[in-house]
Amino acid sequence: MTTEASSPAVLVEGLRKTYGAKVAVDDVSLAVEPGEIFGILGPNGAGKTTTVESIAGLRVGDAGRVRIHGLDPWTERDAVVRVLGIQLQESALQPKIAVREALELWTAFYDDPVPWQDLADQLGLTEHLDRRFGMLSGGQQQRLSIALALVGRPRVAILDELSTGLDPRARREVWQIVRNLRATGVTILLVTHSMEEAQQLCDRIAIIDRGRVRALGTPEELVRSGSAATITTFEVSAAPDLEALRALDGVVDARLEQGQVVVEGAEDVVLSVLGALAAQQVAPRRLRVVAGSLDTAYLDLTDDTSAKADAS
Amino acid sequence: MTQTLISRGTAAVFRTETRLFGRELGSLFWIVAFPVVLVCVLGFVPTFRDVDPDLGGLRVIDIYVPIGILLSMIMASIMAMPPVVFGYREAGVLRRLQTTPVRPLTLLGAQVVLHGAAVAASTVLLLVVGRLLFQTPLPQAPGWYALAYLLALLATFGLGAIVTAVAPNARVGTAIGMVVFFPSMFTAGVWFPVQGMGGLLQQIVELTPLGAASQALYQAMAGGVPDLAHLLVMVGWVIITFGVASRTFRWQ
């Protein structure tokens, strides 16, 4: 375990994976720093799961390379499984295995496991220990799956569709567990299509679409790069000239919404909006400028770039 | 974890799978209890307890002991085990284990050992119950009997392995299992002992894995050396079935 502090926890270079004529992953490169929560976002079929399965060694890429703390998951399986914990999407256990039995079984796989009682407690499984897997709700199965991914004290944890099937409260609890994990130095690779989850948890995000990384950065950077980086709202006594606002440089949309004017646009668009309002002799009240959501950035990036990429 | 002969993880998989197997009461009934019940029912038919000159001085009930043993093997390898493997594959249990220090092959190994152990339990029951209730003979040539038994076990598990390997999913797999199950029962002699078939039918049946197994077990039970042909037929089936299965089996 003597890797340099500067080397990435997870390194993916030029990964490509095809199934017959279908290109699942075209060309993906990314580097996840130790202790980071790194999000992989993208629409269904974008190549997210193939990417993480290649990282986990469940699939071998046609081209490129993957390193986890310097280890090659395609050839050094025995070493990689000891540093990696994975919660797979749609992966069930034996239907008649009890929660306690599953936790004990997984505990026996590792040399230095986390006490499973602690994990069961954190994940709210303590009162279900004697229930069989097939009798658990979807959310309980999900929480058990997360517990099993963490029981081996992994240095890198891959969580695929972490909060699918969880109710809002359980989701918040699971998010807190992920944050606590990072606090202990674990690197986390989070696959999700929940913008909220990505924005809440991730230090950096890669947006993958059609097998390629379309954007990579902090959530703030991605929001800023989107066409609707800021949302400006205000109230006015008389209806303003929305057409004039829409014509302003950097404005994407201006509309009336429940008595409020909502202007979406680039980062500093609020200044020109105020100028235009002054010209119209309209005084805005309750002026608010907030950062746009990741949703808009995501939609921009997954729609436009892929369409352009296909056209070229 | 590599110092000991069996790693802690492997031992834990065996322990857990043993517990889970204990919960499969249906499988346990068909493998362990049903063959014994069948032999007992047949044993209470008076004419089956009469010496039959066509069977070389044995009684019908005598030859049903090895047939019961084969029935137990068929139940274990073709009816009980493939659905477990389909389930593990489709639910992603095998894939899930692939990401841990324990290999999914360990899980399949545990299933084979457990189903084999259930067959062994059934065999002991059949020999003891047959002996106590109906004075059926114990194997007269134990060494040859053990060899024929082992080959028969491998051959039936080979058939189960083929079923598991070629099936694209559980539904088709169950159907293929049925297609293999009934001919296996027939060739093992469950409905009509191979030894009494005679003629061309018998010659054909002796080329099947269960037909050859039935003859070899019968001959060893009667105290003779099984025909080499029967043993070779089983060896051939073992090579073919495991060869094909290991090339076509999918882990996910």
Side-chain angles (χ1 to χ4, degrees):
Chain A
M1 304 295 175
T2 48
T3 45
E4 310 150 46
S6 60
S7 73
V10 178
L11 181 72
V12 180
E13 282 179 347
L15 177 66
R16 181 179 170 83
K17 177 76 190 174
T18 56
Y19 303 115
K22 189 181 175 293
V23 180
V25 175
D26 191 359
D27 179 12
V28 166
S29 298
L30 41 92
V32 183
E33 299 305 320
E36 202 176 23
I37 301 183
F38 190 93
I40 294 183
L41 250 85
N44 290 329
K48 295 179 307 229
T49 292
T50 302
T51 301
V52 289
E53 286 182 349
S54 302
I55 293 172
L58 284 169
R59 298 183 189 284
V60 175
D62 301 325
R65 65 184 199 121
V66 176
R67 292 289 180 274
I68 297 172
H69 284 291
L71 299 165
D72 183 347
W74 301 345
T75 58
E76 298 173 281
R77 176 193 176 273
D78 289 349
V80 166
V81 291
R82 290 185 162 75
V83 297
L84 194 62
I86 305 170
Q87 173 245 319
L88 288 165
Q89 191 184 347
E90 285 171 16
S91 176
L93 296 176
Q94 298 93 317
K96 291 187 182 172
I97 197 169
V99 172
R100 181 198 310 275
E101 291 165 348
L103 288 163
E104 284 173 348
L105 177 61
W106 251 253
T107 298
F109 293 168
Y110 299 97
D111 292 330
D112 179 27
V114 180
W116 62 259
Q117 292 85 348
D118 295 354
L119 282 171
D121 195 36
Q122 285 176 40
L123 286 155
L125 290 167
T126 308
E127 58 269 42
H128 309 299
L129 289 177
D130 295 320
R131 288 189 93 180
R132 293 179 182 181
F133 186 81
M135 295 296 174
L136 297 175
S137 72
Q140 289 162 348
Q141 291 184 348
Q142 183 79 351
R143 281 181 276 158
L144 176 58
S145 182
I146 296 167
L148 297 181
L150 303 180
V151 81
R153 220 183 277 279
R155 297 176 72 194
V156 176
I158 295 179
L159 305 171
D160 195 351
E161 300 296 347
L162 174 73
S163 58
T164 306
L166 298 184
D167 61 53
R169 208 178 115 208
R171 179 178 307 183
R172 305 254 155 203
E173 286 167 6
V174 168
W175 286 353
Q176 195 49 50
I177 290 167
V178 173
R179 291 195 193 97
N180 294 346
L181 262 184
R182 176 180 45 187
T184 64
V186 177
T187 309
I188 294 153
L189 204 57
L190 193 72
V191 181
T192 182
H193 50 225
S194 157
M195 299 302 135
E196 195 197 357
E197 185 166 286
Q199 217 160 357
Q200 285 275 338
L201 287 179
C202 296
D203 299 308
R204 285 193 305 148
I205 294 169
I207 293 180
I208 293 185
D209 190 24
R210 306 195 188 193
R212 282 173 177 271
V213 177
R214 302 293 172 182
L216 201 159
T218 65
E220 294 75 27
E221 283 168 357
L222 293 181
V223 169
R224 254 185 279 144
S225 72
S227 57
T230 59
I231 298 171
T232 308
T233 59
F234 51 84
E235 292 175 9
V236 286
S237 39
D241 182 358
L242 291 176
E243 278 306 320
L245 293 182
R246 280 189 201 114
L248 290 172
D249 209 25
V251 170
V252 181
D253 188 31
R255 58 182 185 273
L256 223 74
E257 223 171 60
Q258 292 161 342
Q260 273 199 327
V261 179
V262 180
V263 182
E264 290 181 7
E267 219 175 348
D268 295 321
V269 87
V270 61
L271 297 173
S272 41
V273 169
L274 289 177
L277 290 176
Q280 292 178 30
Q281 305 210 322
V282 177
R285 284 178 292 120
R286 295 190 182 171
L287 176 71
R288 278 181 39 188
V289 183
V290 296
S293 71
L294 199 51
D295 291 50
T296 330
Y298 169 85
L299 290 172
D300 283 353
L301 288 160
T302 51
D303 285 354
D304 292 347
T305 51
S306 54
K308 274 178 212 151
D310 280 358
S312 63
Chain B
M1 289 180 82
T2 44
Q3 297 93 331
T4 47
L5 193 61
I6 296 173
S7 77
R8 205 154 34 86
T10 304
V13 167
F14 270 80
R15 210 164 42 238
T16 305
E17 290 302 305
T18 305
R19 265 193 226 160
L20 296 179
F21 189 53
R23 289 173 195 162
E24 299 298 334
L25 297 180
S27 293
L28 288 172
F29 171 78
W30 290 109
I31 300 169
V32 181
F34 179 69
V36 181
V37 171
L38 182 75
V39 165
C40 287
V41 169
L42 295 175
F44 286 114
V45 177
T47 55
F48 286 1
R49 296 201 302 270
D50 296 337
V51 172
D52 187 336
D54 288 348
L55 294 173
L58 288 172
R59 303 166 302 163
V60 170
I61 185 62
D62 295 336
I63 61 170
Y64 263 98
V65 171
I67 291 172
I69 290 171
L70 293 176
L71 178 61
S72 158
M73 292 180 183
I74 294 169
M75 288 293 181
S77 64
I78 301 171
M79 288 302 276
M81 203 180 126
V84 176
V85 179
F86 295 143
Y88 283 2
R89 180 166 62 198
E90 284 177 22
V93 179
L94 298 179
R95 219 163 65 102
R96 187 70 187 75
L97 271 196
Q98 187 79 49
T99 66
T100 72
V102 171
R103 287 167 187 276
L105 187 61
T106 308
L107 196 63
L108 296 190
Q111 282 296 325
V112 171
V113 168
L114 288 167
H115 282 84
V119 172
S122 181
T123 302
V124 170
L125 268 180
L126 278 165
L127 290 174
V128 171
V129 170
R131 180 82 196 152
L132 293 181
L133 290 185
F134 311 109
Q135 293 80 46
T136 55
L138 293 176
Q140 300 298 299
W144 289 110
Y145 194 85
L147 178 68
Y149 182 86
L150 194 68
L151 284 175
L153 197 59
L154 287 172
T156 43
F157 273 89
L159 291 178
I162 281 276
V163 170
T164 314
V166 299
N169 57 51
R171 248 187 44 239
V172 176
T174 308
I176 296 176
M178 283 294 177
V179 170
V180 178
F181 177 69
F182 287 106
S184 296
M185 298 257 281
F186 177 77
T187 52
V190 173
W191 289 298
F192 189 78
V194 181
Q195 292 72 29
M197 287 175 181
L200 184 63
L201 178 64
Q202 183 168 339
Q203 286 170 13
I204 294 170
V205 166
E206 282 172 356
L207 293 176
T208 66
L210 271 305
S214 190
Q215 282 289 38
L217 272 186
Y218 162 77
Q219 290 166 349
M221 180 188 71
V225 177
D227 289 354
L228 186 61
H230 301 321
L231 300 179
L232 288 180
V233 165
M234 285 193 278
V235 169
W237 278 99
V238 169
I239 292 170
I240 293 169
T241 50
F242 281 102
V244 171
S246 64
R247 274 171 184 75
T248 51
F249 186 77
R250 293 168 301 111
W251 292 99
Q252 42 188 310

